[in-house]
Amino acid sequence: MPAETQGVISLLPALFAIVLTLVSRQVLLSLFTGIWIGATILVGWNPIGGAAYSLQLVINNVTESFNSKLLLFTFLSGAMLGMIFLSGGMNALAQRIIARIKTRKQAALGTSVLGMLIFVDSYASTMITGSVMRPITDKFDISREKLAYLLDSTTSPVVSVAVVSTWVGFEVGLIREQFASLGIDQSAFVVFLQSIPFRFYSLLAVALVFILVVMDWDFGPMKRAERRAKEEGKVLGDDADPLIETREEDIVTPDHVDSRWWYFAAPIVALVAVTGFGLLYSGGWPELAPVEALKGAATADAILWGVFSACALLLAILVGHARVQLEAVSDAIFEGFKMVMFPVAVLSLAWTIGGVSQALGVGPFVVSVAEGVITPELLPAVVFLAAAIISFSIGTSWGTMSIMFPVAVPLAYQLGAPLPGAIGAILTGSLFGDHCSPISDTTVLSSMFAGADHVDHVNTQIPYALLSGTVATGLFLADGYGVGSLTVSGYGVGPLALLGVGVLTLFVAAYYLSQHADVSVPNAFGSSSD
């Protein structure tokens, strides 16, 4: 076993924190307990030294450049929401949309489509889609658990395969680095494009969303949550503790303000426009072509510029057009900060426990186990599952990609396995584990902007993620045994055919589960969805 890993012990902190979170529903205490266990192991099993080191680890992770910028983005998002509530713009826009949306199905479809359309950045997409659609889905009695699932499954999966997004530069950079070290004379961007049909989990996760919404099917804990919302009008369970308090009654729009829909739309457009420009500019545009510029874009800087611009525009609208007093604006900003304090704490501890798991060598351990069973035929499926386990344990798809690429790509090259399939397995496996993990930042943000209980979101989403992941595993096995290499007239149709089979399998499985799954069984982890 590699010297840089603690072996199976490396899984202990993350697994303990995850299980304790789901059982006790005490997210912060559970995460810190996991950090303390990992820190204690790192300092030689000294629990007192582990406690002191835990605090240092939290500080180290919070002050890391990307993380600190994301925390500032979250605080500014809270400030923006506070000012939007004060302006009444969200309600005004929601009323205009509600006038056109007549059914629950249309509301769910609208959420899904909007989540896909904002494909530049997963964080921005989650924030915008959740903020816009939450009042609308509440109006049509769609559970917050379902809203969080729709956000989580139509933002990151789409952004991860989009050729113009904050992910593409990172992903292409990882491919280019491995190609350079192995002496492979291929275009990293072309291979990135070739890997898209092999992103089985990402594409199936999106397909499952539309199957469930169009057919009005649900199963497991989500079925209970949706039944509660439809029959009782409760979008949240009785014992739910929303990750972000979104009660607009805490921020009252002044009587003299004539709320306009563009009070909300204008800052959102500014956020998207400035984020897009920031991505291009930080990557070297206009000296470089847009696609090349996106490869080197500073993601954290761009989304930070975008949300700051939105806040500045909102301030101008409130003071200049709506004639709201500065004191009221300041109070609304402070209330917005209060909304995001808990998510900020969760994100901080989630990053830290991910860092602890990496320090203990969870990546090398999982890879060492996987290498023992890898054959050319099994490689895509094994790589996919290894990436999923690591991502679930450390709560970050990007961190998992960084761990897997230096191992899986050279191994695929040595075994003669097709590189697009292996690369697709890494990228989509990293997303699969991230979707199941309660310590993932995208999972936390989906709960946050849906106004959902975080544990309920995890409980209700895991069965859907596991269904897509199981089907994806079968497709990777089929691909490994040659189906994915079929061609017609020189064009690869294997992965497309596999995807077709996968979607059909999802449809049949979702129908069966929606009709036969026993929804009277209590949730495994004590969710409040009942």
Side-chain angles (χ1 to χ4, degrees), residues 76-94 127-135 246-254 257-271 307 309-315 317-318 322 324 328-329 331-336 339 449:
L76 289 176
S77 298
M80 186 180 76
L81 288 175
M83 288 189 284
I84 285 174
F85 288 166
L86 181 65
S87 73
M90 186 181 294
N91 278 336
L93 179 61
M127 183 187 72
I128 294 169
T129 306
S131 300
V132 171
M133 298 305 298
R134 186 174 57 248
T246 57
R247 297 173 299 174
E248 293 183 57
E249 60 266 23
D250 292 339
I251 305 174
V252 180
T253 304
V257 174
D258 182 15
S259 298
R260 314 291 179 86
W261 65 270
W262 58 267
Y263 285 3
F264 176 80
I268 295 300
V269 170
L271 186 151
V307 73
S309 300
C311 288
L313 180 57
L314 263 170
L315 179 61
I317 289 172
L318 285 169
V324 177
V329 176
D331 290 343
I333 291 173
F334 183 70
E335 289 296 326
M339 291 180 193
F449 288 108

Side-chain angles (χ1 to χ4, degrees), residues 2 4-5 10-11 170 174-175 177-178 351 353-371 383 385-411 422-423 425-427 429-430:
E4 63 270 18
T5 177
S10 64
L11 295 169
F170 179 74
L174 290 173
I175 298 171
E177 182 180 349
Q178 292 308 308
W351 287 327
I353 198 168
V356 168
S357 297
Q358 291 190 58
L360 289 170
V362 67
F365 168 68
V366 173
V367 169
S368 69
V369 174
E371 285 179 334
V383 167
L385 292 175
I389 293 171
I390 295 172
S391 183
F392 180 83
S393 300
I394 68 176
T396 165
S397 53
W398 283 28
T400 302
M401 294 172 196
S402 299
I403 292 170
M404 288 295 297
F405 261 86
V407 177
V409 173
L411 183 59
I423 290 170
I426 298 171
L427 298 175
S430 300

Side-chain angles (χ1 to χ4, degrees), residues 21-345:
T21 296
L22 295 174
V23 172
S24 71
R25 304 179 62 83
Q26 300 301 314
V27 178
L28 295 180
L29 180 60
S30 301
L31 289 175
F32 190 80
T33 301
I35 294 168
W36 172 69
I37 290 173
T40 298
I41 297 171
L42 288 171
V43 298
W45 299 93
N46 181 340
I48 298 177
Y53 191 40
S54 297
L55 300 176
Q56 186 60 49
L57 287 171
V58 173
I59 294 171
N60 292 345
N61 278 274
V62 169
T63 55
E64 192 273 330
S65 178
F66 184 92
N67 292 350
S68 61
K69 290 174 182 176
L70 183 55
L71 291 182
L72 182 54
F73 165 81
T74 305
F75 273 117
L76 289 176
S77 298
M80 186 180 76
L81 288 175
M83 288 189 284
I84 285 174
F85 288 166
L86 181 65
S87 73
M90 186 181 294
N91 278 336
L93 179 61
Q95 292 305 315
R96 293 175 69 94
I97 297 176
I98 288 172
R100 293 167 173 78
I101 293 179
K102 305 298 183 182
T103 65
R104 295 180 84 251
K105 183 178 294 185
Q106 290 177 355
L109 279 173
T111 302
S112 306
V113 172
L114 183 59
M116 293 180 64
L117 289 177
I118 308 172
F119 54 79
V120 174
D121 178 74
S122 55
Y123 297 145
S125 178
T126 302
M127 183 187 72
I128 294 169
T129 306
S131 300
V132 171
M133 298 305 298
R134 186 174 57 248
I136 298 166
T137 55
D138 282 357
K139 173 75 173 180
F140 287 95
D141 293 328
I142 294 175
S143 67
R144 294 285 179 83
E145 295 95 324
K146 188 64 171 285
L147 174 59
Y149 162 69
L150 296 178
L151 295 180
D152 218 350
S153 296
T154 57
T155 52
S156 294
V158 173
V159 173
S160 69
V161 300
V163 296
V164 180
S165 75
T166 55
W167 288 50
V168 66
F170 179 74
E171 293 173 328
V172 171
L174 290 173
I175 298 171
R176 182 189 293 117
E177 182 180 349
Q178 292 308 308
F179 281 12
S181 65
L182 294 170
I184 299 175
D185 186 20
Q186 293 186 48
S187 167
F189 187 68
V190 169
V191 175
F192 166 83
L193 295 176
Q194 293 172 340
S195 76
I196 291 177
F198 294 94
R199 311 281 189 92
F200 294 135
Y201 175 79
S202 305
L203 299 173
L204 290 176
V206 175
L208 182 60
V209 165
F210 286 93
I211 289 172
L212 296 174
V213 170
V214 171
M215 302 307 298
D216 195 23
W217 293 339
D218 282 298
F219 56 87
M222 188 71 80
K223 190 165 188 174
R224 289 191 291 274
E226 282 291 270
R227 183 174 59 190
R228 179 202 68 222
K230 285 188 285 188
E231 296 179 0
E232 302 176 35
K234 296 179 179 179
V235 296
L236 286 165
D238 292 334
D239 299 326
D241 184 14
L243 194 56
I244 179 174
E245 293 293 338
T246 57
R247 297 173 299 174
E248 293 183 57
E249 60 266 23
D250 292 339
I251 305 174
V252 180
T253 304
D255 293 335
H256 72 275
V257 174
D258 182 15
S259 298
R260 314 291 179 86
W261 65 270
W262 58 267
Y263 285 3
F264 176 80
I268 295 300
V269 170
L271 186 151
V272 174
V274 174
T275 298
F277 175 79
L279 291 170
L280 293 172
Y281 181 78
S282 65
W285 182 83
E287 287 78 12
L288 297 176
V291 173
E292 289 297 319
L294 285 171
K295 296 177 185 178
T299 301
D301 291 336
I303 62 174
L304 196 55
W305 298 341
V307 73
F308 181 79
S309 300
C311 288
L313 180 57
L314 263 170
L315 179 61
I317 289 172
L318 285 169
V319 176
H321 191 272
R323 303 297 180 183
V324 177
Q325 297 295 318
L326 280 174
E327 182 179 358
V329 176
S330 297
D331 290 343
I333 291 173
F334 183 70
E335 289 296 326
F337 287 158
K338 287 166 59 178
M339 291 180 193
V340 300
M341 283 302 298
F342 186 64
V344 163

